[in-house]
Amino acid sequence: MKDIRNIAFIGAGNMTQSIVGGMCKSGYPADKVWVSNPSDAKLEKMKSELGVNTSNDNLEVVEKADAIVLAVKPQLMSEVCTHLRENVSNLSDKLIITIAAGIRIPKYREYLGERIRIIRVMPNTPSLVGQGMSGLVTDDSVDQADKDFVTEAFNGVGETLWVSDEDQLDILGAVAGSGPAYFFEFMDSLAKAATALGFDAAKAREMVQQTCLGAAQMAKESDLSLEDLRKQVTSKGGSTAKGVEAYQESDLHGISDKAVKAAVNRNQEMAKLF
């Protein structure tokens, strides 16, 4: 990374571990990274594996930081932020990055003060294996240098996509954030269909996951639309055509539309809870 800042992560859960791991693998200096967590087990793991600085004290890591990543559960955010605001006098000098779902930027201004510089990031669970899709949104409180810093940091665990407003981030969360669960559900149904016809369960899973991986890679490398890619695999009158026909008769597109809208609605409901 070109822009190296002291960065503090509050919370040492799986997502923090994946982000910090990705940053360090991409060449970010471990001695510039600080992580706080109430318990020691996760901190000790990160310190031994990555060489980052650790502490049980949020204030200690924030004092060292130019940028702060809030990586705690939404229901804990008010308490954590209130503690910071009451004890850190220069929060407006530090870039605030939050990966919590549901809490919108105006609420963080209530928690931390009107003058904060803040970017919301919505990563997804494939970030744990370096294949994440992270959505980012901000307001006019940050400059391009701040945006570039956060983009490069999260590129360490996959790809990033800036959206224009928080409503779009809700949609991204409903697709990219929740999407892995949709794909796992679909993969599970295919594997179970294969086992019902006599396939060994382990072999069915291997077959399905490699097929899913291959299809995703083809989609990523092709300039064709997803519909055209499907048509390319579907010979008229063949077995694939019959399988696709069964999905179309069950209105797969309508099911996906319903699922995404339900997740968007829930994201918007969550925004009202905090």
Side-chain angles (χ1 to χ4, degrees):
M1 290 183 68
K2 297 176 182 178
D3 186 1
I4 303 297
R5 311 184 188 187
N6 287 310
I7 182 168
F9 289 76
I10 297 179
N14 288 337
M15 198 60 72
T16 291
Q17 293 176 48
S18 67
I19 296 165
V20 173
M23 290 174 65
C24 292
K25 288 176 184 176
S26 300
Y28 206 91
D31 64 352
K32 296 289 187 180
V33 180
W34 295 77
V35 183
S36 65
N37 200 63
S39 57
D40 289 326
K42 293 176 181 178
L43 295 179
E44 290 172 359
K45 180 175 183 287
M46 294 184 72
K47 187 176 184 66
S48 64
E49 293 181 359
L50 301 172
V52 299
N53 305 288
T54 60
S55 173
N56 299 120
D57 186 351
N58 292 347
L59 298 181
E60 180 184 0
V61 302
V62 166
E63 181 183 351
K64 306 285 186 181
D66 304 307
I68 305 163
V69 180
L70 300 173
V72 300
K73 294 179 180 179
Q75 55 266 37
L76 298 177
M77 191 63 73
S78 175
E79 178 184 349
V80 168
C81 289
T82 299
H83 183 61
L84 294 181
R85 184 174 185 177
E86 291 176 349
N87 292 279
V88 180
S89 61
N90 63 338
L91 278 178
S92 60
D93 296 333
K94 303 175 186 288
L95 175 63
I96 306 296
I97 304 158
T98 172
I99 64 171
I103 306 176
R104 295 202 164 200
I105 288 174
K107 182 61 67 172
Y108 285 101
R109 297 200 181 284
E110 291 181 23
Y111 290 160
L112 296 169
E114 288 294 329
R115 296 178 58 215
I116 58 167
R117 294 150 47 216
I118 182 166
I119 295 175
R120 279 188 67 193
V121 183
M122 182 63 64
N124 65 0
T125 54
S127 298
L128 298 171
V129 292
Q131 295 295 330
M133 178 73 257
S134 298
L136 304 93
V137 70
T138 189
D139 54 17
D140 57 7
S141 65
V142 302
D143 59 20
Q144 192 60 47
D146 286 338
K147 292 180 181 179
D148 290 344
F149 170 75
V150 176
T151 299
E152 196 168 357
F154 280 84
N155 278 345
V157 291
E159 297 188 3
T160 52
L161 180 66
W162 283 91
V163 297
S164 60
D165 55 46
E166 292 185 276
D167 286 339
Q168 281 205 335
L169 195 67
D170 285 340
I171 299 169
L172 185 143
V175 176
S178 303
Y182 310 155
F183 284 110
F184 294 144
E185 180 75 5
F186 179 62
M187 290 167 69
D188 184 52
S189 69
L190 283 179
K192 285 177 177 174
T195 57
L197 293 172
F199 236 83
D200 171 84
K203 290 181 178 179
R205 172 170 174 160
E206 180 181 359
M207 175 175 61
V208 168
Q209 64 194 24
Q210 183 59 32
T211 302
C212 181
L213 180 63
Q217 191 64 34
M218 284 182 66
K220 187 171 184 177
E221 294 182 3
S222 176
D223 292 329
L224 294 175
S225 69
L226 296 177
E227 181 179 5
D228 284 341
L229 281 171
R230 192 269 301 160
K231 289 178 179 178
Q232 196 176 63
V233 185
T234 311
S235 300
K236 188 174 181 180
S239 59
T240 304
K242 284 297 182 182
V244 170
E245 188 178 299
Y247 280 117
Q248 291 174 338
E249 287 175 353
S250 297
D251 192 20
L252 180 61
H253 287 192
I255 293 169
S256 294
D257 181 70
K258 184 177 179 180
V260 170
K261 286 178 179 176
V264 169
N265 289 339
R266 180 55 181 161
N267 283 338
Q268 293 171 345
E269 289 172 359
M270 288 173 61
K272 298 174 183 179
L273 297 176
F274 304 103

